C-alpha cells in the first residue's frame, strides 16, 4: 500500500501520491479514544490541504455536539478506501477502471448509506442498455451490448465495495442492499477449443522463428496452464529451478499458487536466470516488458496459424492465448489425470469449472460407445 504523507502545515491532514501523479487527500482525528480516517478527495477535483483542515475541524465540532458523520461516506470515498487494499495486487488497475468507467458516473457522489437494493437493480438495468462500437468504444448507437458476464463483473465490484465498507464499519445499513441481487445468466459461450498435439508442434515451430522470450511464454502457457497475466507476470524470484516449481499470480483471487516446470521450460530458462535480479521479469528486452507486447505478438501468430476464415466473434472455434490454458487441462484429462488434480493445477475455485474437461477423460465412456457393436 502507498505510504501516506503528512501535511507540514495542517494538523491531521495527509495525502497519498497516486500512480497517475494525482494526490488523494484525507484527514485523521480522534474522538473519545477512537481514531477516524476520512478520505476527502483528489487534487484534480480541486481539493487542497486548507479545505481538508476545515472539513476536519467541522467533523470534530460535530462529534463534540453528538453528531456522528463518520458513517456518512460517499461511494467514491469508500471505493478509494477499498481500492487501496488492492494497490499491490494484479487486479488493481482492472478494478479501478471498472469503477471509474461505469459505477462512479452512475452513482455520482451518492452517500453509501442511501443506496438501496432498487439502486443496484437500476444500475444492472442501466448496464444492459450500454452500447459500444466495433473498436470497443462506448457509443450511443453502438451495435454491441455488454455481455452478461461483463455486467456481472460490474455488479460484483460494486457489491465488494459495499461489503468492505460494512465489514470495516465504515458504513451502516439497516438491511444489506446487496443481499438479494440476482446475477445475470451467463451465455454458454465458454471456449472449448484446445490444440491437438500436431497443432502444438506447429505452434512451437512457428514461435521458434521469433525469439527466446516468445518461446518461453508459449512453453510456460502450455506447461503450466496459467492465464495470460499469470504467465506474463513471472519474475525470477517466483521460480525454483531445483524444485521445478513456479509461483503464478491468480488475478481472479488476488493470490498465488504453485505450478510445475517441465523439461522444455527448464531448458529455456537455463542461463537466463543467472543474469537477472530477483524482481526482474524473465522476459528480457524492451519488446517484452509488458503483457500487451506479448499479447499482440501471440495474437498475430495464433490468427495466422489457426484463425484464418473464422469470424472474430466465434468464441467456440477461434484460438486465443487462453486456448493454451484449455489445452493444458484438456490433455491432462485425456491422459487420465483425476479431475480434482486438474482442479488444483488450474487453481479453480469451484470444481464445476473443471468438470468441462471430464468428458475428455479415458473413462468418459466414449471408447465404449464407439466400440459398442464391434
Amino acid at each position: 500500500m502507498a505510504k501516506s504523507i503528512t501535511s507540514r502545515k495542517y494538523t491531521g491532514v495527509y495525502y497519498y501520491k497516486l500512480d497517475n501523479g494525482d494526490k488523494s487527500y484525507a484527514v485523521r482525528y480522534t474522538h473519545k479514544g477512537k481514531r477516524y480516517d476520512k478520505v476527502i478527495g483528489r487534487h484534480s477535483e480541486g481539493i487542497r490541504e486548507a479545505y481538508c483542515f476545515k472539513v476536519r475541524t467541522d467533523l470534530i465540532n460535530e462529534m463534540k455536539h453528538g453528531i456522528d458523520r463518520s458513517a456518512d461516506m460517499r461511494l467514491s470515498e469508500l471505493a478509494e478506501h477499498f481500492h487501496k487494499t488492492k494497490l499491490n495486487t494484479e487486479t488493481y488497475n482492472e478494478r479501478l477502471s471498472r469503477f471509474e468507467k461505469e459505477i462512479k458516473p452512475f452513482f455520482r457522489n451518492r452517500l453509501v448509506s442511501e443506496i438501496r437494493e432498487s439502486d443496484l437493480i437500476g444500475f444492472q438495468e442501466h448496464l444492459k442498455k450500454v452500447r459500444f462500437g466495433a473498436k470497443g468504444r462506448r457509443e450511443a448507437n453502438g451495435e454491441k451490448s455488454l455481455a452478461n458476464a461483463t455486467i456481472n463483473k460490474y455488479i460484483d465490484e460494486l457489491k465488494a465495495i459495499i461489503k468492505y465498507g460494512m465489514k470495516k464499519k465504515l458504513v451502516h445499513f439497516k438491511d444489506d442492499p446487496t443481499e438479494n441481487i440476482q446475477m445475470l445468466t451467463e451465455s454458454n459461450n465458454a471456449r472449448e477449443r484446445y490444440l491437438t498435439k500436431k497443432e502444438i508442434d506447429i505452434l512451437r515451430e512457428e514461435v521458434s522463428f521469433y525469439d527466446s522470450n516468445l518461446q518461453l511464454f508459449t512453453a510456460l502457457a502450455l506447461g503450466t496452464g496459467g492465464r495470460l497475466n499469470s504467465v506474463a507476470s513471472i519474475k525470477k524470484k517466483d521460480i525454483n529451478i531445483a524444485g521445478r516449481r513456479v509461483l503464478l499470480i491468480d488475478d481472479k483471487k488476488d493470490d498465488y499458487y504453485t505450478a510445475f516446470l517441465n523439461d522444455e521450460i527448464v531448458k529455456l530458462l537455463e542461463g537466463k536466470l543467472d543474469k537477472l535480479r530477483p524482481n526482474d521479469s524473465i522476459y528480457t528486452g524492451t519488446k517484452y516488458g509488458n503483457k500487451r507486447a506479448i499479447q499482440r505478438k501471440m495474437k498475430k501468430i495464433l490468427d495466422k496459424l489457426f484463425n484464418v476464415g473464422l469470424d472474430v466473434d466465434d468464441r467456440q472455434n477461434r484460438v486465443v492465448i487462453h486456448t493454451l490454458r484449455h489445452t493444458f487441462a484438456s490433455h491432462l484429462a485425456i491422459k487420465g489425470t483425476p479431475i480434482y488434480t486438474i482442479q488444483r493445477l488450474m487453481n479453480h475455485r469451484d470444481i464445476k469449472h473443471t468438470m468441462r474437461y471430464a468428458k475428455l477423460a479415458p473413462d468418459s465412456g466414449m471408447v465404449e460407445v464407439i466400440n459398442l457393436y464391434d
Side-chain angles (χ1 to χ4, degrees), residues 1-2 18-19 82-90 92:
M1 186 179 292
L18 305 179
D19 291 340
F82 173 72
H83 289 134
K84 279 177 188 174
T85 68
K86 306 296 180 183
L87 199 56
N88 294 322
T89 69
E90 297 292 338
Y92 171 73

Side-chain angles (χ1 to χ4, degrees), residues 79-131:
E80 195 154 345
H81 274 279
F82 173 72
H83 289 134
K84 279 177 188 174
T85 68
K86 306 296 180 183
L87 199 56
N88 294 322
T89 69
E90 297 292 338
T91 59
Y92 171 73
N93 289 329
E94 182 182 341
R95 286 180 175 276
L96 189 60
S97 173
R98 199 172 288 145
F99 180 79
E100 296 288 339
K101 193 173 183 179
E102 295 292 347
I103 300 175
K104 184 176 179 179
F106 182 84
F107 287 93
R108 298 183 182 274
N109 207 22
R110 188 81 172 271
L111 285 170
V112 183
S113 59
E114 293 179 353
I115 295 176
R116 301 290 180 262
E117 182 180 308
S118 58
D119 296 311
L120 271 74
I121 295 173
F123 177 55
Q124 195 176 55
E125 292 301 315
H126 160 77
L127 292 174
K128 290 179 184 178
K129 298 174 184 176
V130 170
R131 295 288 183 272

Side-chain angles (χ1 to χ4, degrees), residues 34 37 70-86 95 111-113 115 156-178:
K34 183 178 179 181
D37 286 271
S70 61
D72 289 349
M73 185 173 285
R74 305 281 175 182
L75 182 60
S76 293
E77 182 183 347
L78 177 59
E80 195 154 345
H81 274 279
F82 173 72
H83 289 134
K84 279 177 188 174
T85 68
K86 306 296 180 183
R95 286 180 175 276
L111 285 170
V112 183
S113 59
I115 295 176
D156 274 336
E157 181 69 12
L158 180 56
K159 289 172 68 175
I161 292 169
I162 293 174
K163 292 281 191 185
Y164 170 82
M166 295 172 66
K167 181 179 178 180
K168 296 295 183 179
K169 297 187 178 1
L170 297 172
V171 294
H172 302 277
F173 292 97
K174 182 179 179 181
D175 298 303
D176 181 355
T178 70

